[in-house]
Amino acid sequence: MAQHQYRIAVYTGGEEGAGTDANVYLTIYGTRRSAGPIKLDNSANNFETGKTDHFTLGLSDLGRLKSIKIRHDNSGRKPGWFLNKVTIDGNAKFSAYRWLAKDEDDHRTWVKLRRD
């Protein structure tokens, strides 16, 4: 099975308290297959207010990317998170512009997003 290096960029909002210390997981849905949930983590302090975090995932070719599901496990001192958007390989964009928090909006810690 051919490997593809997917470059993921996750954009956290600039709102007060937008960052999270919770563990974040991504599932990617393509026309050929899906992958995940995959924990997004690297050596940086990820998902801080106003920051963009970058990850590279070596996965089987998923085909044309259709949608994603992104969630967190509600762990840590302040787990609520304002997610602006996710881009994959620079051209597949998934806009959220919403809270993923038990105490905000619809109280969900996950969202499924269609490609813009």
Side-chain angles (χ1 to χ4, degrees):
M1 190 84 42
Q3 285 280 305
H4 181 87
Q5 297 296 313
Y6 289 94
R7 296 177 324 277
I8 315 295
V10 180
Y11 298 77
T12 297
E15 291 77 359
E16 183 176 338
T20 186
D21 292 323
N23 297 305
V24 174
Y25 299 86
L26 177 68
T27 303
I28 307 170
Y29 301 91
T31 55
R32 291 197 180 126
R33 61 185 52 84
S34 62
I38 301 159
K39 183 178 179 183
L40 297 178
D41 197 14
N42 58 29
S43 61
N45 187 7
N46 297 306
F47 315 116
E48 295 299 311
T49 301
K51 300 292 184 190
T52 302
D53 297 291
H54 300 275
F55 308 90
T56 301
L57 304 177
L59 304 171
S60 297
D61 183 4
L62 304 177
R64 185 178 190 281
L65 304 181
K66 299 187 306 182
S67 62
I68 63 169
K69 180 179 179 181
I70 191 162
R71 69 174 180 89
H72 69 76
D73 63 4
N74 207 46
S75 64
R77 214 166 43 87
K78 290 190 172 185
W81 181 35
F82 193 94
L83 173 64
N84 277 354
K85 65 182 177 181
V86 176
T87 62
I88 302 177
D89 288 345
N91 60 7
K93 181 178 170 188
F94 305 88
S95 297
Y97 297 97
R98 58 159 289 153
W99 284 98
L100 300 180
K102 294 276 189 185
D103 59 350
E104 298 279 355
D105 293 342
D106 59 8
H107 310 287
R108 291 188 317 190
T109 59
W110 64 272
V111 65
K112 189 164 183 182
L113 302 169
R114 292 199 175 280
R115 185 175 182 162
D116 291 0

